[in-house]
Amino acid sequence: MLIRRPDDPDGILPSDITPRELYLDRRRFLALGAAGALMSADALAALSAKKSLYSTAEKINPLKDITSYNNFYEFGTDKEDPAAYSGAFKPRPWTVAVDGEVMKPRTFSIDELLKLAPLEERVYRMRCVEGWSMVIPWIGYPLSALLKLVQPTSRGKYVAFETVMRPNEMPGQRSRVLAWPYREGLRIDEAMHPLAILAVGLYGDVLPNQNGAPIRLVVPWKYGFKSIKSIVKIRLTEKPPATSWNLAAPDEYGFYSNVNPNVDHPRWSQARERRIGEFFKRDTLPFNGYGAQVAQLYRGMDLKVHF
Ligand code: MTE
């Protein structure tokens, strides 16, 4: 039996490579089979992603939950909107510009990004600030792989991210529900942590538009809104960057936004959560269950102040 040790990324066995067909329901598998000859290079690369030992062994949510009940305000504020209104969004061609406090600023094409580091499958628990959670098999690699390439300077203390601005393809950007483009940020040590990944796929395939195609951040110990989708800009900064949700409601959404059952949202408790697909609620864990890996990043900080 494979014993998963989240703190030990070594020892990946050939048997850990997850056959894609195990994931896909029969209908989807057959459809992909027909389209097989047309599969893009990145989809093929995703096939060979190794299962990371940072993965949880918890039951994975069905693809349908992950792709049809989620938040992507650029496509509307209802949970069904991202799937319903992201069909016209074009995730290619695509570039991500990385600049600011770095020695080697650079603009990466999506093809360069797909090959930047070995792809891994990371099955992560994800906890939305609204009180629901899912388990998602992401495909990606550590954000640190990209940051190391551009060489942050000693003044690069934070990492700011921006989503693409395309009101023609993203109907939600035509309303003022948030200050567009969507912005997020991490402290540099959070960004360099091996659990923080850039995801380019899920369920053994490229990212669906509604989940942040073609490339998005995934930070599993923070509330879901930190995991910014469809990234086009990454900037290293000396000061904490402005973030969309903090700008919208600073009393409700702090910069850190670590999952914390002991700090309630001003309008609701964060002590429990509903795993999508389950009836009974479960207790929310500090740092979403990743405390053994990340709690030391916050040693000495009052997490009620730095929420
Ligand atoms: N990124 C952008 N650009 N726009 C958004 O509205 N929503 C966030 C986050 N990233 C959001 C975003 C929220 S609230 C959540 S819970 C997660 O995306 C959901 O990601 P998923 O649906 O792929 O799990």
Side-chain angles (χ1 to χ4, degrees), residues 26-48:
R26 188 176 155 74
R27 202 160 133 239
R28 191 170 130 81
F29 183 58
L30 292 176
L32 276 170
L38 297 173
M39 230 188 332
S40 58
D42 37 294
L44 285 171
L47 280 179
S48 60

Side-chain angles (χ1 to χ4, degrees), residues 70-74 128 136 138 163 182 211 216 224-225 227-229:
N70 63 355
N71 286 321
F72 198 166
Y73 273 34
E74 283 84 340
C128 183
I136 301 183
W138 300 110
T163 294
Y182 194 100
N211 293 93
R216 53 94 52 89
F225 66 86
S227 293
I228 180 172
K229 297 173 167 178

